[in-house]
Amino acid sequence: MPVLRCFLPLLPTYAEGRALMAASSILSCSFPETDIAVLTINDPDKGANVLSPPVLEELAAQLDQLEARDDLAGLVICSGKPGNYIAGADLRQFVAWIDAPAEQITEFCRLGQQLFQRLAASRFVTVAAIDGVCLGGGAELALWCDRRILTSNSKTQYGFPEVKVGLYPGWGGTARTPRIVGLSNAVEMITSGESISPADAYAMGLATDVVEPEALEAAAIGLIRSEHQSGAYLKDRERWAAPIEISDTELGFLGATASSFIQGKTKGNYPSPLVALEIMLGCAGTDVQAACEAEAEQFPQVFGSPVNRSLLNVFFLQDRNKKDTGVAQDEVAVAPIKSVSVIGAGVMGQGIAAANVRRKIPATITDTSREALAAGVSKVLDEVSYNREIKGPDVKKAVEMAPAVNGSTSLEEVAASDLVIEAVVERLEVKQQVYAGLEPLMRPDAILASNTSTIPITTLAEGLARPEQFVGIHFFNPVRKMPLVEIIRGQQTSDATIASAVAYAKAIGKTPVVVGDGPGFLVNRLLLPYMNESLELVCEGASIREVEQAAKAFGMPMGPITLFDVVGIDVALFAGAVMHEAFPERIVASRLLQAMHAEGRLGQKSGAGFFSYQGTKKGRGKPDPETDRIIETCRTATGSFTAESLQMRMFLPMLLEATRVIEAGLVRDPRDVDLGLIFGIGFPPFKGGLLAWADTLGAEQVVAALEPFQEVGPRYQPTQMLLDMAQQGGKFYD
Ligand code: NAD
């Protein structure tokens, strides 16, 4: 059956498919030698090649023509985009098919498999010549070729990231990979979703060679000639179609270790790696054809599942963020940031400086305390030279990086950078004093930013000569691990400054979200009600353990009580006071937090907070009877709670606050709420984000869930936005 008539009906409309096909000429075929065909994939309308149905149709048509020839020695499949081979299947099409019936999804897998299998059964040698990113469906296409050559380009990577959107490779990836690289390597690649380097691909036999990008085509043609002569590829075709050679003992051992590793990592919240594992292990003894069939049959189990939908949402949140300049207008001049200064060499200053140096932006760092400055510079160097293998700083690398970290006490030197980020103590008068001395020395086009976590940017800007060039760039702690950066727009911050800050944050590998000015900005404003509620619940009779477990069962990376200890009780108390002052009707001034603070239990940093850290492994707290004693002094009730009621008590105030943030226009798009929470506090991606989670419940159901808590306090009153949505059946996402 010609594939042309198979993929297109799967498009939302046939007309759309035809239109796409007419508009595209994505595959082109050339013949550098009479018996060698080179098929080049280059989508003129996209930065990255993706395997959309029209591209698959084109591939099928090209193969039809090539297979009709009996004089071809080989086919090279390459990309016309340097550094970008094929980024994967077209995820937008996946969204369009998300509600398709199971049989159609299975059929879609079969069609892809049949198309790619033609590459492993053609009468000529097929070679994937890969320069750049080769992922997902692209990796499967390459996998069905007889041979793969990768370039040494630093952009070249090979992998199956499907589990990151709740899927697994469905075009033969689970069947063919273990037959080429061995079951153990395949299990690791497919269930982790992590890409491998060209060197690793070569070491495991996935790549035949690794060459310079300029030598790629010649190497592929040379390989075709030698394979054609030796016929080695024909033996491999037979071997890779057969069952895998592995003993039952090895299979059992691999299954047990891999499944317990996956369970530990996913905590049961991400099913697709386990499904992929079962398929690979279960089909080790079958031929590749049966393995493909099992892969296709099981695919509807994951495709369209709630986790798949949520993770696709997260993917598109990120995709949108990558393209977002941070401002509405198109034409805005972005200031290139080539040098950065950081004022304050404390915890945050060190992390911020290191984030720059790691991305090759030299950083000048200063502090009023000489000891703090010396310690800060040394910690920055330790961080940027950290070597995973020796689990510590690499002296040689530290020496190499040293010129990029400039510890300075000269204000002129600090002021000379394109961007100066202030990260001194959280006190308005101290920060404003710093700006008063600094701003007159800065270049008129340079940007000044604050890393403040609570003080409004507009307040900080009072007294500045150029408030339009002042912005909040709020990193999260620890900077090394936390991808989110809030870009806070003060009343007078210009579009150019916002766009420059957004571009800068992306350049150092962060995920920027532009938010309005105000107490707690976005993330802390939503986090505080949740954390506060966890303490109220403890005072009302829930145990710390119950609260922690309920939050973790919801999917949070750590419980809220542990988070208090990590953040520091003093810091949390201060942030809580700011929020209480701003919103006294709904942010309770926690008596329990005050009592802990009064007892000097500041959290991990003081050795004891809600948990004790004496004699425990780094960061691991143990229950402390002293905490129970303090809780007793704050106890207001002796209620009992289910895990679900605890979850609702903690997450509904967060949701209500999110609707207020949206109502107040503090985010430019509601989707920024979800992005901010996922990347700022680790809100569970498998729930798609706070608003996506609320959509799965439905606004009416959320209003009903709030009902039993009305007696707890006005903080559980539904907002107008929620009531309107409940009445109209509205959703946060279309
Ligand atoms: P920190 O106490 O670890 O470091 C502050 C440093 O600033 C100290 O080394 C101090 O000597 C120095 N300093 C004080 N006055 C100075 C001045 N006039 N000039 C130069 N240096 C001066 O504090 P931190 O945790 O790094 O916080 C810094 C800023 O970042 C604060 O505004 C804080 O609200 C914000 N922030 C903190 C976190 C966090 O979790 N720690 C997270 C996000 C934002």
Side-chain angles (χ1 to χ4, degrees):
M1 178 168 36
V3 181
L4 189 66
R5 261 165 280 134
C6 298
F7 279 103
L8 287 181
L10 293 172
L11 280 167
T13 66
Y14 185 75
E16 185 182 339
R18 298 306 315 173
L20 277 167
M21 276 201 70
S24 72
S25 113
I26 293 164
L27 289 189
S28 57
C29 194
S30 62
F31 296 89
E33 296 175 26
T34 47
D35 60 346
I36 303 280
V38 174
L39 209 49
T40 305
I41 306 184
N42 192 358
D43 187 337
D45 301 325
K46 288 192 177 138
N49 293 317
V50 289
L51 295 177
S52 60
V55 176
L56 297 172
E57 300 292 345
E58 271 196 59
L59 177 62
Q62 292 280 4
L63 290 179
D64 285 346
Q65 288 187 14
L66 294 172
E67 278 164 0
R69 284 180 55 166
D70 58 8
D71 61 336
L72 272 191
L75 165 67
V76 180
I77 302 184
C78 65
S79 159
K81 297 183 195 296
N84 187 311
Y85 189 65
I86 301 172
D90 185 352
L91 293 185
R92 283 184 199 281
Q93 288 299 337
F94 284 17
V95 174
W97 297 328
I98 204 83
D99 294 317
E103 314 81 68
Q104 202 171 332
I105 296 308
T106 295
E107 192 54 22
F108 170 66
C109 292
R110 286 194 192 116
L111 290 171
Q113 293 169 354
Q114 285 159 15
L115 172 61
F116 290 172
Q117 278 171 344
R118 292 170 71 182
L119 297 166
S122 62
R123 52 167 104 172
F124 40 80
V125 183
T126 51
V127 176
I130 301 163
D131 175 47
V133 175
C134 178
L135 298 175
E140 289 179 291
L141 180 148
L143 203 66
W144 284 104
C145 289
D146 292 311
R147 298 287 182 253
R148 287 144 296 279
I149 301 181
L150 271 59
T151 68
S152 52
N153 186 343
S154 61
K155 289 185 180 161
T156 302
Q157 49 168 302
Y158 198 105
F160 301 103
E162 285 86 346
V163 291
K164 295 185 178 171
V165 288
L167 300 173
Y168 60 76
W171 286 333
T174 65
R176 178 108 165 149
T177 317
R179 283 162 177 79
I180 296 178
V181 301
L183 200 49
S184 174
N185 285 330
V187 163
E188 195 178 327
M189 280 183 82
I190 288 173
T191 63
S192 74
E194 297 302 327
S195 300
I196 58 169
S197 66
D200 286 344
Y202 179 74
M204 63 173 71
L206 190 63
T208 310
D209 205 353
V210 178
V211 301
E212 294 288 314
E214 309 74 53
L216 185 58
E217 188 177 306
I221 295 173
L223 183 60
I224 288 172
R225 296 266 173 252
S226 69
E227 289 289 331
H228 201 242
Q229 216 165 32
S230 69
Y233 73 102
L234 292 172
K235 290 203 185 89
D236 282 337
R237 283 186 181 184
E238 255 176 55
R239 194 157 61 91
W240 294 336
I244 299 166
E245 280 174 26
I246 184 166
S247 72
D248 285 351
T249 320
E250 282 175 293
L251 201 60
F253 180 73
L254 179 62
T257 49
S259 71
S260 87
F261 181 79
I262 294 167
Q263 299 269 18
K265 279 220 133 189
T266 61
K267 305 201 165 47
N269 293 323
Y270 299 86
S272 72
L274 277 182
V275 180
L277 176 69
E278 268 174 39
I279 294 170
M280 284 187 276
L281 298 180
C283 296
T286 72
D287 62 19
V288 78
Q289 204 49 54
C292 280
E293 188 48 30
E295 178 188 89
E297 272 178 10
Q298 298 295 319
F299 207 68
Q301 216 189 108
V302 290
F303 189 93
S305 65
V307 173
N308 174 224
R309 286 166 196 258
S310 296
L311 293 179
L312 280 173
N313 190 45
V314 178
F315 174 86
F316 287 113
L317 290 176
Q318 287 175 275
D319 195 49
R320 177 182 156 271
N321 186 261
K322 275 188 205 145
K323 294 168 192 152
D324 181 22
T325 59
V327 292
Q329 55 167 318
D330 293 335
E331 307 279 316
V332 62
V334 170
I337 307 292
K338 299 216 171 81
S339 57
V340 166
S341 290
V342 183
I343 307 185
V347 176
M348 295 305 288
Q350 291 161 20
I352 297 167
N356 282 280
V357 174
R358 213 179 288 113
R359 292 296 175 122
K360 309 245 177 322
I361 298 179
T364 297
I365 181 162
T366 191
D367 201 291
T368 40
S369 149
R370 280 185 182 268
E371 297 80 58
L373 180 56
V377 168
S378 150
K379 288 213 175 119
V380 172
L381 281 174
D382 282 358
E383 189 182 323
V384 296
S385 65
Y386 184 83
N387 182 332
R388 263 194 223 161
E389 275 161 30
I390 57 170
K391 292 200 168 63
D394 181 327
V395 181
K396 193 167 156 252
K397 203 167 166 200
V399 171
E400 272 168 33
M401 307 285 262
V405 189
N406 173 26
S408 172
T409 51
S410 149
L411 206 52
E412 281 78 11
E413 221 175 346
V414 171
S417 293
D418 298 330
L419 167 68
V420 181
I421 304 175
E422 166 275 306
V424 306
V425 284
E426 188 73 344
R427 293 208 345 241
L428 176 64
E429 68 285 4
V430 178
K431 289 183 190 280
Q432 283 187 329
Q433 216 174 8
V434 168
Y435 307 155
L438 185 79
E439 198 196 23
L441 302 176
M442 288 174 66
R443 279 201 329 267
D445 61 331
I447 294 174
L448 176 60
S450 175
N451 184 49
T452 178
S453 34
T454 53
I455 308 173
I457 294 304
T458 309
T459 312
L460 284 172
E462 284 163 9
L464 285 178
R466 294 186 294 273
E468 67 281 4
Q469 278 158 248
F470 182 67
V471 62
I473 303 188
H474 182 210
F475 290 83
F476 288 73
N477 188 15
V479 179
R480 183 172 44 89
K481 280 197 186 160
M482 303 302 290
L484 188 74
V485 172
E486 285 180 334
I487 306 293
I488 306 144
R489 183 191 273 275
Q491 252 167 34
Q492 298 181 68
T493 312
S494 70
D495 270 6
T497 301
I498 293 288
S500 303
V502 165
Y504 158 72
K506 289 181 185 174
I508 59 166
K510 297 293 179 190
T511 303
V513 171
V514 179
V515 301
D517 208 2
F521 309 123
L522 170 66
V523 170
N524 286 340
R525 178 158 170 187
L526 303 189
L527 181 64
L528 251 290
Y530 154 79
M531 287 180 70
N532 237 13
E533 214 52 45
S534 70
L535 296 185
E536 291 310 299
L537 284 162
V538 169
C539 292
E540 288 173 35
S543 70
I544 287 187
R545 196 160 168 267
E546 284 172 328
V547 168
E548 292 278 278
Q549 281 189 342
K552 284 197 270 183
F554 187 85
M556 296 301 281
M558 69 171 69
I561 312 283
T562 304
L563 190 56
F564 273 110
D565 279 0
V566 172
V567 169
I569 305 297
D570 50 343
V571 175
L573 192 65
F574 180 73
V578 171
M579 292 290 285
H580 173 65
E581 208 183 301
F583 312 113
E585 72 292 354
R586 58 178 189 269
I587 301 293
V588 182
S590 169
R591 278 185 57 222
L592 178 53
L593 203 60
Q594 288 165 17
M596 295 292 287
H597 188 253
E599 299 257 353
R601 299 178 71 96
L602 300 187
Q604 283 184 355
K605 61 186 166 193
S606 71
F610 284 99
F611 297 97
S612 163
Y613 299 89
Q614 303 295 342
T616 64
K617 271 195 192 163
K618 198 173 169 252
R620 283 259 175 108
K622 60 180 181 199
D624 189 341
E626 261 308 285
T627 303
D628 296 338
R629 182 189 61 75
I630 298 170
I631 290 171
E632 277 314 312
T633 65
C634 302
R635 190 74 85 193
T636 54
T638 51
S640 66
F641 301 87
T642 62
E644 206 204 331
S645 71
L646 290 172
Q647 288 168 351
M648 288 296 168
R649 277 285 302 270
M650 288 189 278
F651 289 99
L652 290 179
M654 191 190 247
L655 177 64
L656 289 173
E657 203 58 35
T659 61
R660 292 185 193 103
V661 162
I662 297 168
E663 276 173 335
L666 289 172
V667 284
R668 293 157 57 239
D669 188 303
R671 286 172 286 188
D672 283 341
V673 168
D674 283 350
L675 193 75
L677 289 176
I678 291 168
F679 290 100
I681 64 164
F683 190 91
F686 70 88
K687 287 201 155 54
L690 178 70
L691 304 180
W693 167 69
D695 273 353
T696 61
L697 302 176
E700 209 178 336
Q701 178 64 31
V702 172
V703 172
L706 287 164
E707 188 57 38
F709 306 140
Q710 291 310 305
E711 61 198 36
V712 177
R715 58 188 188 275
Y716 284 96
Q717 263 173 25
T719 56
Q720 195 54 48
M721 180 181 188
L722 204 58
L723 288 171
D724 291 347
M725 284 173 68
Q727 206 182 25
Q728 293 151 15
K731 284 183 173 277
F732 291 103
Y733 286 85
D734 290 335

